[in-house]
Amino acid sequence: MDDIDAYLDQTAAILGLKIDPAYRPGVRGNLERTFAIAKAVTEFDLPDDLEAAPVWRPEGLK
Amino acid sequence: MTPIELSAHEIARRVASGGISARAIVETMLVRIASQNPEINAFTDVIAGRALAQADAIDAKRAKGEKLGPLAGVPYAVKNLFDIEGLPTRAGSKINRDLAPAKRDSFLGRRMNDADAICLGGLNMGEYAYDFTGENEHDGPSRNPHDRTRMAGGSSGGSGAAVASGMVPVALGSDTNGSIRVPGALCGIFGLKPTYGRLGRSDTFPFVGSLDHLGPFARSAKDLALVYDTLQGVDEADAGQTPRAVEPCFANVGLGAEGLRIAVGGGYFAQGGEAVAFDAVARAAKALNATREVIVPEAQRARAAAYTITTIEGAQLHEKRLRTRAGDFDPATRDRLLAGLMVPAAWYVKAQRFRRWYADQVLKLFADIDVILLPATPCAAPKLGQVTMTIGGQEMLVRPNLGIYTQPISFIGLPVALAPIHTKGAMPLGVQIVAAPWREDVALRVAYELERQGIAAAPVAGL
C-alpha cells in the first residue's frame, strides 16, 4: 500500500464515503492523476493580497 | 443546394418572404433526422409534434401579415442539459431521467423561440458534461458524421454531430473546459464560446458554475453571429451573468480582418499536438497575414487549475448522487467525481486565486493584439472507444487530453470563435480564434473572413 492508497482509504473513511471495490482502481487512478496535475497549482507562489474573484469580471480589475 | 444545406439566415429570409413555409423546413429536417440519427445518434429526444405546431403558428403569423422574428422557421436543437418543456433534463445521465419534466424551456431556448426559431429536440452529450469524447454509457456515443467509426468530441457531441450531418443548421451547447470547441473541431463546424457571464444559463443543468458557458454551433460564421445576437439579454436567474447591454454582431460580421492585430499562440500551444493541428493554425494565420507569435504565460498551469476546479466543483455538485446512486453513473464520470470529493479544499481556493493572477497576465497581451489563433485539439477525431493516443512519441489518455488547448482559455472566460478547417481526404480540425473579453464581434469577424477566403468551411457530411 502506498501513500495514495492510504490517503484514499483514510479520506473515504472520514468522509463516510463507501467506494465499491470495483470502482477503486478507477478512483485511485484519477486521484493520483489529480494530485500530479494540481501540483502545478499548489507549488506556485501568489501574493497575499491576490484575492480570488467573488465577482468575476472577465475584463479584469483596474 | 438542397434544403438541408441552407444556412439559418437563408432559411429565415425565405420563410419571412414566403419563399418556403416553416412547416416545409421542419418536415425536411425531420426526414433528415429519421434517416441520419439511427446511426449518428445525435438526438436523444425529437419533439416533432411541438415543432410542427410551432411551424404552423409561424406560417399563420406570416399569412396574417405579422412581422416574423430574425430566426423565422430556423430549426435548432439543444444539448440535453438545456431544459425542454415537458422533458426531464437528463444531462447525459441515467439518474436525471427520474427528474420531473421541465416546466419551460431554458432561458436561451426561450430567446430562440421568441425569435421564431423552432426547437426539434434534445441532443446527446457526455454524462453531466464531464467529457471530451461525446461517448455516453447510457445513450451510446454520438458518432462523427465525417467518419462514423470516430468520436464526435464532447461533451456537446450530439450538438456537433447534428449540425455536421445536416439534421439542424443550429444547435446550442455548453463549454466548461472545451465542450463546444472540441466537438466543433472534430465534427468540422463553427462554434462560439462567448465571454464568461455573457449568455444566461438559467434552466440548464450545471456542471462547474465557475467555468460553465453556453453557446451556439452552426455551419457558417454569419449564422453564429445571427444566433449569438438572439441569445444575448439579461437573465435575472443566472448568478454568473454580467449585466450588459446587447451588442449585436451580425451587421458587422463581414467587416473583414483588416486592421486587426492577429497573433499565433506559441509555446504551450505549439507543442504536444500532431502536426496537422498546427498546420490548421498555420493555414489560418497565413490567410490573415498573421506573422507575430505570442506566448500565453503559464498556460500549462492554467490547465492544471481548471482541472482542479472542475473536479472539485463537479464532485460537490454530485455528492449526494455519488453517495446514493454511484452504480447509476457512467463509470468514466463516476470515478473522476468520486476522486474529486477527496481533493483538499485549499487546492480549490488556490486554483481560484491563480485564476485571477493568470487572467491579469493574459489580459495584458490584449493591449497590443486583438486576436490569438490557437489549435482547438491536439489531433483529429480519435476512434470510438479509443482510450489512449500517441502524440510526438508520448502515449497519453484521450479523454482528458483532447482539451489541452481549450482549457487554459475558457478558464478565464475569454470569447472564442471556433473555425473548422477541412482537408480533402482527412478528418476536420479546428482553430480557436480568441479575442479580448466581450469582443465576440472581433472573433466572429475573423471566423467570417476565414470562411470568405475558403480557409474555413463546414460542409454537411456525406452529401
Side-chain angles (χ1 to χ4, degrees), chain B residues 150-186:
Chain B
R150 292 183 182 274
M151 293 175 181
S155 63
S156 310
S159 305
V163 173
S165 62
M167 292 193 242
V168 274
V170 171
L172 303 183
S174 68
D175 187 318
T176 303
N177 287 300
S179 286
I180 288 175
R181 294 160 288 159
V182 170
L186 301 194

Side-chain angles (χ1 to χ4, degrees), chain B residues 23-46:
Chain B
R23 171 169 270 271
I25 290 290
V26 169
E27 284 175 343
T28 299
M29 295 300 164
L30 291 173
V31 168
R32 181 72 178 169
I33 292 168
S35 75
Q36 296 293 304
N37 199 56
E39 219 188 315
I40 300 289
N41 201 29
F43 275 83
T44 51
D45 296 280
V46 178

Side-chain angles (χ1 to χ4, degrees), chain A residues 11-53:
Chain A
T11 310
I14 286 167
L15 295 178
L17 193 63
K18 288 194 188 70
I19 295 177
D20 188 302
Y23 311 159
R24 189 186 165 97
V27 176
R28 191 201 180 284
N30 277 291
L31 204 51
E32 188 171 21
R33 195 169 311 118
T34 303
F35 286 173
I37 289 172
K39 196 164 177 287
V41 180
T42 58
E43 72 185 12
F44 190 72
D45 266 343
L46 289 171
D48 287 339
D49 63 353
L50 190 132
E51 257 194 274

